[in-house]
Amino acid sequence: MSAYIAAADSSATGGDLVFRLRLFVAGDEPHSLTARQILARLCEQHLKGRCEVIVVDVLQDYQAALRHRVVVVPTLIVEAPPPERIIVGSLSDEEKVLAVLGLPRPGGRE
């Protein structure tokens, strides 16, 4: 079972990159909840209107995890823009997540 958190608003992108993110979680497991919360906040703060997030609960849809070769949860797959990137873990190191996404870090540090 997959759930969409947010969809990109094509009128709001203005030619900016649109991010397609697929987050694999395991139900309400603590690290999965943390990853969901952090990803929702990062999308709101840094990708407003420019992201599509698909949450896949591997307890409900383990076949999706197999198709995407996910063996550890939480796992975030950045499907677009290319190249595809994978982040494993609760996403608690937000600066590293922003760096993988190619977004400026807080305070303008690159």
Side-chain angles (χ1 to χ4, degrees), residues 3-19:
Y4 289 93
I5 289 182
D9 178 359
S10 59
S11 65
T13 61
D16 289 335
L17 292 175
V18 175
F19 289 78

Side-chain angles (χ1 to χ4, degrees), residues 1 15 30 34 37 39 44-45 49-50 85 97 101 104:
M1 172 184 255
T34 299
Q37 293 166 349
L39 184 59
E44 179 65 28
Q45 292 175 352
R50 300 189 297 137
R85 288 143 293 166
V97 174
L101 294 173

